[in-house]
Amino acid sequence: MLIQQKAGVLGNISLNGRLIDWLYLEWHETNKRILRKRTASGREIALRFLQENPALAENDVLYQDDQSLIVVSISPCDTIVVKPGSPYEMASVCYEIGNKHLPLFYESGELLVPYEDPLFRLLAAGGFNPAREKRKLLQPLKTTVAAHGHNSGSSLFSKILQLTTPSADA
């Protein structure tokens, strides 16, 4: 079965007795333009989104007929979870993760990143108290950042630090 566009979102489509056939995706498969997978019931499908980035999300409906719906479910994976205690910690953790050019996700005040042992140890050594959990990576942080150099005097990070560092006057 070839799917070239989304059919909607599960919350906006009435089931009317139809069965849900889940398509389990890893977080890194959600932006693939071309992908072959099997649904939970074993139905082979081919995704081909050539006109636009699919940006598939939890509960996206990819197909529907009178008997069933094919719906996306993002599979949980090993994740580093950090709950920053202050804006300064938030900026510092985001900088450390961003400096490694790793994907970053945000959910309920927590920063999530796919698990990598070197990053976990770096964050632990920095005192950020990371936790390793199985989580669904659902809310990617999308950022557009101008090109930067690692030796420039006035970086975005230094500006954030100036804004978030408690002043001696307070």
Side-chain angles (χ1 to χ4, degrees):
M1 171 186 303
L2 177 63
I3 297 172
Q4 295 182 301
Q5 64 184 15
K6 298 179 203 178
V9 178
L10 187 58
N12 298 335
I13 296 175
S14 176
L15 287 178
N16 293 332
R18 296 181 284 184
L19 299 175
I20 296 176
D21 191 3
W22 294 102
L23 176 65
Y24 295 105
L25 297 177
E26 302 292 326
W27 67 269
H28 55 85
E29 294 175 314
T30 60
N31 287 313
K32 297 223 180 253
R33 293 177 185 271
I34 298 173
L35 184 65
R36 284 192 170 276
K37 298 287 279 187
R38 287 194 182 271
T39 64
S41 72
R43 203 176 338 183
E44 186 174 337
I45 65 167
L47 300 177
R48 193 170 84 182
F49 294 94
L50 298 179
Q51 299 302 316
E52 61 187 52
N53 183 331
L56 296 172
E58 183 85 355
N59 294 324
D60 276 348
V61 176
L62 301 177
Y63 172 80
Q64 61 179 325
D65 62 23
D66 293 339
Q67 289 81 36
S68 66
L69 299 142
I70 296 177
V71 182
V72 171
S73 178
I74 309 299
S75 299
C77 66
D78 278 342
T79 305
I80 297 172
V81 179
V82 178
K83 187 165 188 165
S86 68
Y88 175 81
E89 273 190 32
M90 177 73 79
S92 297
V93 171
C94 287
Y95 176 79
E96 291 299 337
I97 294 169
N99 204 32
K100 307 238 177 298
H101 301 275
L102 297 172
L104 184 60
F105 297 78
Y106 182 80
E107 185 177 306
S108 303
E110 297 175 323
L111 295 170
L112 310 171
V113 66
Y115 186 84
E116 287 190 1
D117 195 56
L119 178 61
F120 186 88
R121 287 184 280 143
L122 175 80
L123 293 172
F128 297 112
N129 300 317
R132 183 176 183 173
E133 299 178 12
K134 282 270 192 200
R135 298 281 284 270
K136 288 186 174 199
L137 298 176
L138 302 175
Q139 304 292 326
L141 285 177
K142 294 186 168 103
T143 59
T144 304
V145 179
H148 67 280
H150 291 276
N151 296 326
S152 64
S154 181
S155 70
L156 176 60
F157 181 64
S158 64
K159 291 176 184 174
I160 292 171
L161 284 178
Q162 290 172 359
L163 292 172
T164 60
T165 303
S167 67
D169 303 337

